[in-house]
Each structure stands twice: as structure tokens, then as C-alpha cells.
Amino acid sequence: MTARLYIRSGLSPDAPDAAFAVLVVAPDGTPGERAMAELGAYCYEGDGALYLVRTDGWAEQSFDAGDLVVRVAVHPVALRQVGVDPEGFPERSAVDPEAVIVLTARTTAGPDLSPRPAEATAVFTAAADVPLDDLLTSEDEWPVLLAPPPGT
């Protein structure tokens, strides 16, 4: 089981045509997926979403051979706060080598995608058999919103 990455528009009423990277992680999936699921408890709530403070973690978006690649970087202190050992994640962020990469996901970007999706990346936690559309329309499922790296 691995994280599912999608590119979706229509998520923001203020910008209905804006494309967003949307990750779906399984609470019983890979160590990175489990770490992301646990981080929801470390976030603050607001406007139907959970927010990870940008200084604690972020999403790094890049393009590689026509794919959108999203790498989730988190500082060890935030991981320890939710009982996740950062030593289990040897890869480091290129933006801040103190932060570890807990998850990398990719999806085909498609030729009609503008230079990149909106800056925020939404992360939902759900079992592998739950369709993305069900998560997006549920009032009970709040995504964790990850900002881009600090300084961008």
C-alpha cells in the first residue's frame, strides 16, 4: 500500500479552476503514511481543515518526466510530539537538511496542468478503498493542509 496522489481542481470556492495536489494516506499503510496520519493530532484546526505549521513541516512539489512529485518534509521535533521516531526516515529535505522526508508520492501531471498546482497540498487519511470523491464531499473528513517550504 502506498500513498495516492491526485491533482484536482474545484477545491477552493475562491479559485474553482485552481489545481491542487491531494494526497490520500492510509492509517495502516507505510511508515510515512502512518506518520502523516499521526501528524493530524499535531495540527491546528480552522475552516474545515487541519494546518501543520509551516516551520514544522511542508510539502515540496516538483516535476519529473511529466510527473508531479510531492515530498512531505517534517522536522523531527514535530514527529516526536506524535510518537513517531524520525530516525526511521533517513532521507533529508533539500530545503532544510534538519527536516526528514516522511513521504514521497507521484502522479502523472498531464499536459494541461499550469506550471504547478496551488501552493497548498491537501492530505486526507483514509483506507485504500475509500474513493477520493467521497473524501472531498464528506463534511467529517478534514484534510491536513501543508504549505510549501518556508521561504518560498
Side-chain angles (χ1 to χ4, degrees), residues 48-131:
L50 303 169
Y51 296 87
L52 183 62
V53 175
R54 188 184 226 183
T55 54
D56 289 332
W58 55 86
E60 300 172 4
Q61 297 179 3
S62 63
F63 288 94
D64 177 37
D67 287 352
L68 171 67
V69 179
V70 174
R71 295 164 29 108
V72 177
V74 182
H75 275 281
V77 70
L79 290 171
R80 286 187 192 102
Q81 288 293 319
V82 295
V84 175
D85 183 2
E87 295 300 319
F89 303 98
E91 188 178 359
R92 297 289 183 250
S93 166
V95 174
D96 180 351
E98 294 293 318
V100 299
I101 300 297
V102 297
L103 186 65
T104 300
R106 66 175 44 227
T107 191
T108 301
D112 60 338
L113 186 65
S114 60
R116 65 180 32 220
E119 292 186 344
T121 298
V123 182
F124 287 92
T125 300
D129 61 345
V130 176

